[in-house]
Amino acid sequence: MLKITNLRTSINGKEILKGIDLEVKAGEVHAIMGPNGSGKSTLASVLAGRDIYEVTEGTVEYEGEDLLDLTPEVRARKGIFLGFQYPIEIPGVSMASFLRTAVNEHRKFKALAPLSASDFLKIMREKKEMVEIDSNLTNRSVNEGFSGGEKKKNEIFQMALLEPKLAILDETDSGLDIDALRIVANGVNKLKTAENATIVITHYQRLLDYIVPDFVHVLYNGRIVKTGTKELAFELEERGYDWIKKESDLKLNGEDVKI
Amino acid sequence: MVRTLRFNREIMDTLSTQQYSDLFLKHKDIFLGDEPKFLQEIRIKAAEKLSTQSFPAKKNELYKYTFLEPYFNNGFKKNIIPKPITFDICDMFRCDVPTLDTHLAIVLNGFYYDTKKLLITLPNGIIYGSLAEAIKQYPALVEAHLSKYITTDDSYVTLNSAMARDGVFLYVPKNKSLDKPIQIINILLADEELMVQPRNLFIMEQGSSAKIVICDHTLNDNKYLTNSATEVYVASDANFECFRMQNEHNEAVQVSHTFIHQEAGSNVRTNNVTLHGGVVRNNLYVNLAGEHCENTSLGLFLTDGTQQVDNYTFIDHATPNCNSNQLYKGILDNKSTGSFTGKIMVRKDAQKTMAYQRNSNLLLTSDAHANAKPQLEIYADDVKCTHGATIGQIDENALFYLRSRGISERESRLLLMYAFAFEVIKQIQVEPLQIRIGDLVEKRLRGELSRCNNCAMYCK
Ligand SMILES: Nc1ncnc2c1ncn2[C@@H]1O[C@H](COP(=O)(O)OP(=O)(O)OP(=O)(O)O)[C@@H](O)[C@H]1O
Ligand SMILES: [Mg+2]
C-alpha cells in the first residue's frame, strides 16, 4: 500500500528526515514511537502533502503511484487521512459545512452524487455516536474553542466520516482521558478492515493495548533506528530512549552494537 | 461645464466647487422654486459656503486614500428634475428570497420613483416615501431636522445640501415600530454619464423602532457619480438599524455621507457591505448626544481589479456612559485598495465611555493594498477604548487542514474567505437578509455575481 524509500526532507535548509524506509501493507497497523523532535510529525505531514517541507531525496509510493506528485486534497480523496497532532482552529467555518464539503468532495472523486442534507445528517449522527462526540461540537466552528481532548476526538470523528484507506494518527491519544482513549481506540478498531492500514504515532505504550500494532518503529534523529513488535513498546516504556539513542549513535559511527 | 486649463493651481482647486455654485445660480429658480423658506435658506447658505470651499485636495488628511476631485470635475449630466424613464422593476430584478418581506422605496437616478403614490402613511402613523414630497406635505417636520445633524464642513456634503432634490423620507412617531423593513433601492439607469445627489432623512421619534435595507445598484454600464447624504435623527430610547449593500459596477464612483444623531438610551446599528464598485467612499458620522447610547457600526468590503473602497467613521462620544463598537473587514484581491479610517472622539465629560474598534483585512495578492488608520482622541479619563487593525493573508495552516480532508485548494480558500467575512454577515439581524447576503457574498467571492440576480428586494 505504502512504500517509503530513503526519504529525506528538510525545512529552511535544515534536514529533518534523513533517509526513511518504511513499508506498510494493507491490513497492517504500524506504530511509530520516538523522542520529541525526532521527526514523527514531519513524516506524517510530508505524507499528507504539506508543502513547507522540501523532499530532497527518496520516493513514496502509494498504491503503485508516486504519492509526492499529488496535492494534499487528491491524497485525501485517494484515502490518506492525517489525524493532526495539533488540530487547527478555524473560526467562522462551521463543522457542518466543513464536513459536508469534505464528504462530498470524496464522493465526487468516487463519481457518487453529493449527499442530501438529510442523508448527511444521518451519517453524521451515526458516526457521532460511534466516536461518542458531543453533539454540540458539530454546531460550532471547526475546532474553535474545543478542549484538547475534544480536538482529538474530532479528528477520529472526521476519520470515521471519510473512511480512509491509510490513516496516520499523530499522537491522537495524547491529552485524552481514559474513557476517551478507549473510545478513540475502538473507533480505529471498528474502522479496521483487511483493505486499510493505520500508522499510529504515539509516546505511550498504553494506546497499543487497545490498538495492537503489527510493527513498532522507533524514529530517532530523522531515521527509523529500530523496528520490532509490540514488545518493543514495552521495552521502551521500561527503559526509555537512552539506550536506543546510544545504540543508534554508535551505529552511525560504524559500530554495530546492541545495548 | 468646460474646464479651462489656463488657470493656475490655486484657482483650479476651487474651480470645481465654483462650477457647482455657478450651476446652482444658473438654475436658482428651479432649485428654489416654490420650496419653503427654510429650505431655500439651507440651499443658498450651502451654495455660498461652497463657493468659498474647495474639494479636498490630494494631500487632504480626510481624503488621504481617495482623491475624488477629478470625478467631480466631470462633464456628467446633472438632472435637476427627474428625466422620465419607464421600466418594469420586476423585469430587472428577480428575488430569490421571497421571505424578505419589505416596504419598497425605489430611487431612480436620485429621484423617488413611484408612479402612483409619493408618500405612504401606514396605519400606525409611520410615513415613508419621497423627501421632496414630504417637504411639501410636512414642511414643519422636515424643517425641524433637515441639515440639523451635519457635523462636518466637507465640501461634498455642502454640495449635496445645495443641490439635492429628492431621496427617501421616513418618519416613525413616538413608540411606534415598523412592521417590516423598508427597502430602499437606489438604481442608476441612464443613457448618459450621470451624476446624482440623493438626500435621505430618517426621523425616529422617542421609543420608536425601524429597520432599513438600502441597496445601491447600477443597471447599465454608463459612468455614474453618486454623492449622497443621509441624516438620521434617533430620539431617546429609539432603535434604528440600517443595512446597506453597495453593488455598483467598475466605472461607478460613489461617495456617501451618513450622519446619525443619537439621543439618550437609543440604539443604532449600521452595516455596510460593499460587494462591488469602482471607487467607493463611505463617511459615517455618529454623534452620541445623550447618555447610555449604543452604537454598532459594521462594514465589509470585497474588492478586486483596481477597485477602491474607503470607509471613514467618526464616532463622537459627546456624553457619558455610551458604548460604541466598530468592526470593518475587507477582502482584497488583485490590485485593489481598501482603506479604513476610524476616528473615535471621547469628549471631556464623556466618562464611562466604552469604545471598541477593529479593522481586519485579508489580502489575496501581494498587489492588493490595505490602509488602516485608527484615530483616537480621548479627553476623558475613565474610559475603555480599544482599537486594532490587522492586515494578513490566508492562514496556511488552516488551508492545509482543509485540503488534507479532500477539499480543493480553491474551495478551501473560499471557505476561509467566507469565514473571514462571516463575522460581519452574522451580525445582520434580519434573518432572511442574513442568509441572502451570505449567499451574495459567497457568490461574489466565487466570482459568480451577476447584476440581475443581485438584489435582495421584495418583488413578486
Ligand atoms: N517549520 C519548522 N522550522 C524549523 N524546524 C522545524 C519546523 N518544523 C519542524 N521543525 C523541527 O523538526 C524537528 C522534528 O519535528 P517533529 O514535529 O517532526 O517532531 P516529532 O517527532 O513529531 O516530535 P514530538 O514528539 O514532540 O511531536 C524538530 O527539531 C523541529 O523543531
Ligand atoms: Mg509530533
Side-chain angles (χ1 to χ4, degrees):
Chain A
M1 177 177 268
L2 181 78
K3 190 160 192 280
I4 305 173
T5 315
N6 190 31
L7 181 68
R8 284 172 175 266
T9 62
S10 53
I11 185 159
N12 303 330
K14 181 183 164 201
E15 184 161 61
I16 312 266
L17 299 182
K18 302 171 179 169
I20 301 269
D21 293 289
L22 179 67
E23 186 166 2
V24 178
K25 297 202 174 72
E28 291 178 349
V29 175
H30 289 243
I32 297 180
M33 303 180 79
N36 294 131
S38 57
K40 303 180 296 296
S41 294
T42 304
L43 175 62
S45 302
V46 169
L47 294 177
R50 186 77 217 247
D51 62 4
I52 54 172
Y53 300 100
E54 192 197 345
V55 175
T56 50
E57 222 182 302
T59 56
V60 181
E61 212 177 89
Y62 172 69
E63 299 203 303
E65 228 182 325
D66 179 4
L67 184 72
L68 300 176
D69 247 13
L70 308 175
T71 60
E73 54 268 32
V74 171
R75 295 183 199 198
R77 292 171 203 159
K78 289 190 178 224
I80 290 185
F81 178 89
L82 170 62
F84 284 64
Q85 181 176 2
Y86 304 109
I88 313 292
E89 298 198 15
I90 313 182
V93 175
S94 76
M95 279 291 290
S97 70
F98 161 59
L99 295 172
R100 198 165 163 205
T101 311
V103 167
N104 282 334
E105 292 256 19
H106 276 76
R107 291 178 64 87
K108 193 162 89 193
F109 189 73
K110 292 179 191 142
L112 296 170
L115 284 177
S116 70
S118 66
D119 283 346
F120 174 70
L121 283 179
K122 209 177 120 213
I123 292 179
M124 262 229 314
R125 210 173 310 125
E126 257 168 43
K127 306 290 181 183
K128 254 194 300 208
E129 272 166 27
M130 182 175 148
V131 299
E132 297 180 36
I133 190 170
D134 186 343
S135 253
N136 293 326
L137 289 183
T138 50
N139 294 330
R140 289 168 40 184
S141 288
V142 177
N143 291 320
E144 192 188 24
F146 286 24
S147 76
E150 285 168 344
K151 282 181 183 162
K152 295 303 174 77
K153 266 191 171 181
N154 190 23
E155 295 294 289
I156 297 301
F157 174 51
Q158 292 169 45
M159 173 177 145
L161 273 170
L162 299 175
E163 299 180 328
K165 279 189 206 149
L166 175 64
I168 305 158
L169 304 178
D170 191 357
E171 294 198 28
T172 306
D173 56 331
S174 60
L176 289 180
D177 63 43
I178 312 277
D179 291 334
L181 181 71
R182 199 164 41 231
I183 293 162
V184 163
N186 275 340
V188 173
N189 288 332
K190 273 187 216 158
L191 294 167
K192 195 178 160 190
T193 67
E195 277 79 51
N196 59 23
T198 313
I199 298 174
V200 288
I201 297 171
T202 183
H203 284 296
Y204 306 106
Q205 178 274 328
R206 192 184 58 181
L207 175 72
L208 305 179
D209 284 343
Y210 298 101
I211 304 172
V212 183
D214 299 296
F215 300 95
V216 174
H217 310 277
V218 179
L219 188 64
Y220 167 58
N221 201 10
R223 290 184 186 85
I224 289 179
V225 295
K226 208 169 191 66
T227 293
T229 57
K230 200 176 165 229
E231 275 62 47
L232 178 56
F234 279 108
E235 204 176 348
L236 292 172
E237 183 93 355
E238 240 164 64
R239 299 177 64 190
Y241 285 114
D242 269 359
W243 62 285
I244 299 234
K245 288 181 185 170
K246 268 196 202 116
E247 213 178 86
S248 139
D249 292 344
L250 286 170
K251 208 171 184 171
L252 268 184
N253 294 332
E255 302 166 48
D256 201 353
V257 282
K258 205 164 175 63
I259 299 175
Chain B
M1 254 139 296
V2 185
R3 261 179 73 185
T4 323
L5 291 170
R6 63 192 145 79
F7 291 106
N8 65 28
R9 182 67 203 160
E10 284 107 286
I11 299 172
M12 283 256 311
D13 273 346
T14 58
L15 175 66
S16 45
T17 48
Q18 191 61 51
Q19 75 184 5
Y20 284 97
S21 51
D22 288 351
L23 182 74
F24 177 83
L25 288 176
K26 191 173 154 203
H27 300 284
K28 205 169 164 186
D29 290 349
I30 306 174
F31 276 116
L32 301 179
D34 50 5
E35 279 178 344
K37 196 149 182 297
F38 81 88
L39 188 56
Q40 295 183 341
E41 276 168 10
I42 289 174
R43 286 196 195 285
I44 292 167
K45 249 171 85 184
E48 278 169 1
K49 186 172 169 187
L50 192 64
S51 64
T52 68
Q53 286 182 310
S54 54
F55 289 137
K58 208 163 194 167
K59 295 174 301 253
N60 187 301
E61 197 57 24
L62 206 59
Y63 282 88
K64 192 174 166 185
Y65 303 122
T66 314
F67 181 47
L68 289 166
E69 194 200 359
Y71 302 110
F72 279 77
N73 232 330
N74 57 41
F76 287 16
K77 181 93 183 185
K78 296 146 183 84
N79 288 331
I80 300 170
I81 47 170
K83 193 175 167 181
I85 292 181
T86 45
F87 69 104
D88 185 354
I89 195 92
C90 289
D91 283 348
M92 299 223 172
F93 297 101
R94 208 151 306 279
C95 182
D96 20 329
V97 182
T99 42
L100 189 68
D101 189 9
T102 61
H103 298 286
L104 198 59
I106 294 170
V107 177
L108 175 63
N109 298 334
F111 292 90
Y112 194 86
Y113 179 88
D114 197 303
T115 43
K116 294 180 224 68
K117 219 163 162 33
L118 291 174
L119 262 188
I120 290 168
T121 306
L122 299 173
N124 56 2
I126 292 175
I127 305 164
Y128 76 93
S130 152
L131 177 63
E133 185 64 21
I135 290 165
K136 281 186 201 151
Q137 291 191 29
Y138 305 100
L141 191 55
V142 175
E143 181 177 3
H145 297 284
L146 190 71
S147 272
K148 292 280 195 294
Y149 310 112
I150 292 173
T151 50
T152 172
D153 282 326
D154 188 329
S155 47
Y156 297 123
V157 180
T158 315
L159 174 63
N160 181 287
S161 292
M163 295 177 67
R165 302 275 297 160
D166 201 0
V168 177
F169 172 79
L170 168 69
Y171 172 72
V172 185
K174 191 172 168 182
N175 294 330
K176 297 292 187 252
S177 300
L178 251 186
D179 53 342
K180 52 188 182 184
I182 287 181
Q183 184 172 16
I184 300 168
I185 304 181
N186 289 309
I187 292 172
L188 292 172
L189 175 65
D191 44 18
E192 59 207 327
E193 295 175 341
L194 184 71
M195 172 176 177
V196 303
Q197 303 202 65
R199 178 87 168 208
N200 304 312
L201 177 63
F202 307 144
I203 304 164
M204 306 288 303
E205 295 287 22
Q206 188 188 337
S208 65
S209 81
K211 289 191 167 95
I212 286 193
V213 178
I214 304 176
C215 306
D216 298 328
H217 295 299
T218 43
L219 287 190
N220 65 12
D221 294 339
N222 274 321
K223 285 187 182 173
Y224 296 102
L225 170 64
T226 301
N227 180 39
S228 72
T230 302
E231 287 178 275
V232 189
Y233 169 76
V234 189
S236 55
D237 301 318
N239 264 290
F240 179 76
E241 186 174 341
C242 181
F243 174 83
R244 179 173 203 154
M245 188 183 68
Q246 297 174 308
N247 190 13
E248 301 192 337
H249 66 64
N250 280 328
E251 298 269 20
V253 177
Q254 178 177 129
V255 197
S256 80
H257 317 269
T258 305
F259 301 91
I260 294 174
H261 177 95
Q262 288 188 242
E263 289 291 345
S266 63
N267 191 340
V268 170
R269 239 179 132 76
T270 58
N271 193 340
N272 195 105
V273 174
T274 311
L275 284 180
H276 209 279
V279 177
V280 178
R281 164 68 182 237
N282 299 311
N283 296 318
L284 174 67
Y285 296 85
V286 175
N287 183 10
L288 302 172
E291 289 194 44
H292 300 287
C293 288
E294 294 273 338
N295 180 279
T296 308
S297 309
L298 306 160
L300 174 68
F301 46 96
L302 312 170
T303 58
D304 59 20
T306 55
Q307 292 174 48
Q308 265 178 278
V309 175
D310 183 0
N311 282 294
Y312 173 85
T313 63
F314 186 162
I315 314 290
D316 191 347
H317 281 265
T319 50
N321 293 306
C322 293
N323 298 342
S324 68
N325 206 331
Q326 300 176 71
L327 174 65
Y328 277 78
K329 296 189 101 172
I331 302 180
L332 305 138
D333 202 354
N334 308 128
K335 294 182 169 176
S336 62
T337 311
S339 309
F340 174 76
T341 306
K343 180 164 177 173
I344 298 175
M345 164 80 82
V346 181
R347 307 248 175 209
K348 200 170 101 259
D349 296 329
Q351 300 297 359
K352 307 274 182 214
T353 286
M354 288 216 270
Y356 300 104
Q357 180 189 95
R358 189 152 59 86
N359 168 227
S360 309
N361 300 285
L362 188 59
L363 301 183
L364 303 181
T365 66
S366 51
D367 290 332
H369 191 72
N371 301 303
K373 201 166 96 184
Q375 294 180 317
L376 270 59
E377 269 185 53
I378 301 173
Y379 301 103
D381 43 33
D382 186 12
V383 300
K384 251 191 212 146
C385 246
T386 64
H387 67 91
T390 61
I391 297 171
Q393 284 96 28
I394 292 249
D395 177 359
E396 290 294 325
N397 289 323
L399 188 65
F400 177 64
Y401 190 76
L402 296 174
R403 292 178 73 189
S404 79
R405 298 304 182 240
I407 303 173
S408 69
E409 182 176 359
R410 180 180 139 81
E411 205 62 35
S412 301
R413 281 186 189 279
L414 284 166
L415 272 172
L416 294 173
M417 285 189 262
Y418 187 77
F420 181 85
F422 190 67
E423 195 185 359
V424 175
I425 297 166
K426 75 177 176 196
Q427 303 210 38
I428 301 170
Q429 290 177 337
V430 183
E431 203 195 326
L433 185 66
Q434 185 196 102
I435 294 168
R436 179 74 178 121
I437 296 304
D439 286 352
L440 283 174
V441 167
E442 193 188 328
K443 277 211 180 95
R444 169 70 176 84
L445 291 171
R446 283 180 187 281
E448 291 167 0
L449 191 65
S450 69
R451 204 168 57 222
C452 293
N453 61 359
N454 59 7
C455 182
M457 70 178 273
Y458 171 74
C459 192
K460 284 203 172 124

